[in-house]
Amino acid sequence: MSTPFPFTAVVGQDDLRLALLLNAVSPAVGGVLVRGEKGTAKSTAVRALSALLPEVDVVPGCRFSCDPGAPDPACPDGPHEPGAGAERPARMVELPVGASEDRLVGALDIERALAEGVKAFEPGLLADAHRGILYVDEVNLLHDHLVDLLLDAAAMGASYVEREGVSIRHAARFLLVGTMNPEEGELRPQLLDRFGLTVEVAASREPDQRVEVVRRRLAYDDDPDGFAARWAEEEAAVRQRIVAARELLPRVRLGDGALRQIAATCSAFEVDGMRADIVMARTATALAAWAGRTDVLAEDVRQAALLALPHRRRRNPFDAPGLDEDKLDETLQEFGGSEDDAPDPDSDPDGGPGGGGGQPAPDDGGPQDGDTAAQPEAGDSGEPQPSGGGAGEQSPVRASEPFRTKVLSVPGLGEGAAGRRSRARTEHGRTIGSRRPRGALTKLHLAATVQAAAPHQRARGRSGPGLVVRRDDLRQATREGREGNLVLFVVDASGSMAARQRMSAVKGAVLSLLLDAYQRRDKVGLVTFRGQDAQIALPPTSSVDAAAARLESLPTGGRTPLAAGLLKAHEVLRIERLRDPARRALVVVVTDGRATGGPEPVALAGRAARLFAAEGTASVVVDCESGPVRLGLAGQLAGELGGTAVTLDELRADSIAGLVREVQGTTRRAA
């Protein structure tokens, strides 16, 4: 086993280290979500934490890590008699993004269960992580069905496996730690709320600190054991401090004043539900214990708010995480009594990060980047203008308020990644048939299995009540669920779209579709066209907030190279099919249908559109034409694409213009 990088040797990242240590002191805090760019020691710090956790007592031979002082009465390996246990190090179990359901919750031997009535159960990662750490790297890329299982286990402290009448339950209480890069997509709100604390990490911009990061990493790579030995004393000191804080924790007093500050803070920042209040209370208590105090102070409440509230304030994926610290300080001062109790944001009472308790060898954090000011709204020019050297370009305008859109889906039955948009063959969903299993059996179709085994019972010498089942009799259930798609937006940013009110409405519609794509677990891409050509504003990604940011800063003006936009989108889809052939695409063209610039622009756009129709690519045209006189060019474009057209008004889910539309993959039939 390789020697892990020492926790105390991590340079900077004070908030990250503090959040992890608070969970080590009080696992009831509820885990940590670490958000940040790649290469910022997220995984290194998490993996290093396990070496600092105190050892746990377990029942000898129990695969589910039962506590010998209070064994689980429903343990599958039980019942256990209370008695002496055996100590072992706390485990850190990693859940791979591509793990199967059986690997997470465990697997039943269906053949033995049917033939012998034996509950032969192989524990999964949830059992391994009981009383330890469950670590999910790139947690935002985890499949939905695994997220659902994690939510259930985290909420109930137990894992349930129900399969064809066979039921297994075992305890599964663990410290959930996840890391993610926000550029690759956001988490579902339900899972986001399950993490007690969240930390934003970024690489330091301070040269001296960056030099120290490189120096320590090179030293570790050259001699891991020697490097760890040089930090052994600091590691032992932190380990002892965790033990002392755990012993002190039950004696920490959370007074009415601190509780009132916690409740007032959660109310002031309008967080949903009561979990935030409870997490803040537990975090503030752990901060006091970590600092060696038995009373919770205002500084503990402040630090707890900074760790527990930012991810709970987001109403949609386009909201920036974080708290207004001035508002936080005002709230704490208003409900905290005297001015002396008000926290100082620059104070460090215990010589450590975050103001809530020190750590060995703290490092200074890097400077923070400021927010970019919003651009002013554009002018009202709506006529096509030549684009060259910036001529005719309009400043970006803000998007109108997003709304709930109608469901746009790809026709047919796909086999792509799990999601919530289009019909697909999946491992989860309603059962529609059966087949012989390819590889390991995961979902038994009981009726089909019995039907396959029944004709052979006499030949197999059946003499008792049990059914004689062989491997060839087993049938896998085929199921239909939903998949996520690649939603590629092709947005007209030409001068004909540049009127302020009109472009604001267009951006609002695209923003609404992006929000819908986030909720349905799609990948998104953005192609824009204006002036003389088209460009890929955002390559296909799972980060819809990145697409929203590019949309917000989108300038307009110039001619309308519609053909160039369609050809650029066609090229993007060609490349994506090579990367992920199972993921089907939905092309959303946002335009008024006009084509200008170059020789025969209308004919060229028609030929480009027919490429999509020939390949059966699902498409929809969002018709942005407005005014009493309409040319119907967007509808003609939809016909060439083999798709359908909707107006901005019809796109709304509450529109009375029609029912939910399904995108047609072939040319619409004449009425």
Side-chain angles (χ1 to χ4, degrees):
M1 183 179 178
S2 61
T3 303
F5 193 91
F7 185 85
T8 51
V10 174
V11 179
Q13 310 299 10
D14 294 339
D15 286 342
L16 168 58
R17 292 190 292 162
L18 178 61
L20 291 171
L21 288 170
L22 293 178
N23 276 273
V25 171
S26 176
V29 166
V32 186
L33 174 64
V34 187
R35 296 164 46 94
E37 59 197 24
K38 52 187 177 293
T40 49
K42 301 188 298 293
S43 300
T44 299
V46 173
R47 292 189 175 98
L49 176 67
S50 61
L52 298 179
L53 296 181
E55 294 187 333
V56 295
D57 283 333
V58 298
V59 173
C62 178
R63 298 174 296 167
F64 301 88
S65 302
C66 281
D67 184 348
D72 182 5
C75 175
D77 284 355
H80 304 299
E81 294 295 330
E87 285 193 343
R88 64 158 176 79
R91 292 174 180 161
M92 191 196 74
V93 177
E94 294 195 41
L95 172 60
V97 169
S100 66
E101 178 182 341
D102 286 346
R103 185 71 188 97
L104 178 62
V105 302
L108 290 168
D109 189 333
I110 301 297
E111 189 172 354
R112 289 189 62 192
L114 284 174
E116 305 173 27
V118 176
K119 292 183 181 180
F121 181 70
E122 184 65 27
L125 296 177
L126 290 180
D128 293 341
H130 180 48
R131 303 178 67 197
I133 301 173
L134 181 62
Y135 172 48
V136 189
D137 194 12
E138 306 293 352
V139 63
N140 51 324
L141 303 181
L142 200 63
H143 288 302
D144 273 2
H145 68 283
L146 297 183
V147 170
D148 294 336
L149 294 170
L150 275 181
L151 289 175
D152 290 342
M156 297 184 291
S159 175
Y160 292 84
V161 182
E162 302 282 350
R163 186 164 298 169
E164 307 302 342
V166 180
S167 177
I168 294 289
R169 175 218 169 269
H170 64 81
R173 292 182 295 275
F174 46 81
L175 169 59
L176 181 61
V177 181
T179 57
M180 61 174 283
N181 184 347
E183 294 179 356
E184 296 173 341
E186 285 293 345
L187 277 176
R188 286 169 51 186
Q190 294 91 336
L191 182 57
L192 197 62
D193 190 52
R194 290 295 179 187
F195 287 98
L197 311 179
T198 186
V199 177
E200 297 279 340
V201 297
S204 172
R205 299 297 183 260
E206 175 60 43
D208 290 341
Q209 193 171 89
R210 296 175 75 97
V211 167
E212 186 60 25
V213 170
V214 175
R215 181 181 291 120
R216 293 186 189 182
R217 186 70 212 190
L218 292 178
Y220 170 78
D221 291 341
D222 290 341
D223 182 12
D225 293 334
F227 184 83
R230 291 195 293 274
W231 290 87
E233 185 175 344
E234 287 84 353
E235 292 282 285
V238 174
R239 191 177 297 109
Q240 292 171 5
R241 189 171 175 183
I242 291 174
V243 173
R246 283 188 172 186
E247 293 175 352
L248 181 62
L249 186 65
R251 303 199 300 274
V252 174
R253 187 181 70 88
L254 183 64
D256 289 343
L259 275 173
R260 187 169 180 79
Q261 284 184 317
I262 290 170
T265 301
C266 292
S267 177
F269 285 100
E270 299 180 351
V271 296
D272 295 332
M274 294 299 298
R275 182 174 283 116
D277 303 63
I278 297 171
V279 170
M280 272 190 65
R282 290 170 174 168
T283 304
T285 304
L287 280 162
W290 177 247
R293 290 185 266 101
T294 56
D295 287 309
V296 173
L297 305 181
E299 65 199 36
D300 300 320
V301 176
R302 184 181 194 277
Q303 184 64 54
L306 293 174
L307 293 173
L309 297 188
H311 60 301
R312 293 186 165 89
R313 293 193 63 244
R314 303 189 77 186
R315 295 296 186 265
N316 63 62
F318 313 134
D319 293 338
L323 291 180
D324 182 341
E325 295 194 30
D326 291 337
K327 180 178 179 180
L328 173 61
D329 292 337
E330 291 174 3
T331 303
L332 293 176
Q333 184 171 338
E334 179 182 354
F335 291 89
S338 67
E339 187 174 342
D340 294 338
D341 293 335
D344 180 1
D346 298 323
S347 67
D348 194 4
D350 295 282
Q359 299 174 32
D363 296 281
D364 294 331
Q368 302 296 319
D369 295 327
D371 294 332
T372 302
Q375 297 291 330
E377 290 190 340
D380 292 331
S381 174
E383 294 299 321
Q385 302 176 24
S387 177
E393 180 173 305
Q394 305 288 329
S395 299
V397 299
R398 290 186 177 277
S400 62
E401 284 297 315
F403 51 84
R404 189 166 61 91
T405 66
K406 292 183 181 298
V407 180
L408 304 175
S409 60
V410 178
L413 198 62
E415 295 182 347
R420 296 175 180 171
R421 182 171 297 278
S422 305
R423 295 172 55 227
R425 297 183 185 90
T426 62
E427 288 294 317
H428 302 270
R430 63 187 183 91
T431 300
I432 59 173
S434 64
R435 60 172 173 80
R436 291 181 181 273
R438 306 185 191 104
L441 178 71
T442 55
K443 297 292 182 182
L444 179 74
H445 194 295
L446 181 59
T449 298
V450 172
Q451 187 176 10
H456 309 291
Q457 296 304 295
R458 180 175 298 177
R460 293 173 183 174
R462 172 184 172 184
S463 57
L467 190 67
V468 181
V469 179
R470 295 181 180 173
R471 177 70 186 175
D472 291 343
D473 301 326
L474 299 179
R475 295 293 183 269
Q476 174 85 24
T478 57
R479 301 192 173 193
E480 181 182 306
R482 293 280 169 176
E483 67 177 1
N485 299 116
L486 166 59
V487 181
L488 182 60
F489 294 94
V490 186
V491 180
D492 184 348
S494 65
S496 66
M497 303 280 288
R500 179 181 300 175
Q501 265 190 335
R502 189 174 181 187
M503 198 60 202
S504 177
V506 168
K507 285 188 175 183
V510 178
L511 198 65
S512 303
L513 290 167
L514 283 171
L515 183 58
D516 182 68
Y518 162 74
Q519 294 168 341
R520 299 186 187 281
R521 313 298 287 175
D522 295 316
K523 289 180 70 174
V524 296
L526 179 62
V527 172
T528 64
F529 57 95
R530 57 181 289 270
Q532 301 299 326
D533 56 12
Q535 64 175 350
I536 303 173
L538 183 71
T541 176
S542 296
S543 179
V544 294
D545 51 344
R550 303 291 173 88
L551 179 73
E552 188 71 21
S553 60
L554 179 67
T556 58
R559 294 189 180 275
T560 311
L562 177 57
L566 295 175
L567 291 174
K568 182 69 72 174
H570 186 268
E571 178 66 13
V572 170
L573 293 184
R574 185 187 66 80
I575 295 173
E576 283 301 306
R577 287 192 191 100
L578 297 176
R579 293 175 177 169
D580 189 358
R583 188 182 288 270
R584 298 187 295 164
L586 171 63
V587 178
V588 180
V589 185
V590 185
T591 182
D592 56 10
R594 296 180 183 178
T596 60
E600 299 183 345
V602 176
L604 187 58
R607 288 197 295 271
R610 286 191 288 274
L611 291 175
F612 293 87
E615 295 173 352
T617 303
S619 61
V620 62
V621 177
V622 179
D623 184 358
C624 302
E625 193 174 27
S626 59
V629 178
R630 304 197 179 201
L631 302 178
L633 299 177
Q636 295 176 24
L637 175 62
E640 298 279 7
L641 286 166
T644 190
V646 294
T647 65
L648 290 174
D649 288 338
E650 291 172 340
L651 191 62
R652 293 178 178 270
D654 55 358
S655 169
I656 61 174
L659 300 175
V660 173
R661 292 178 180 267
E662 181 174 287
V663 179
Q664 302 299 318
T666 58
T667 303
R668 289 178 298 168
R669 292 176 297 181

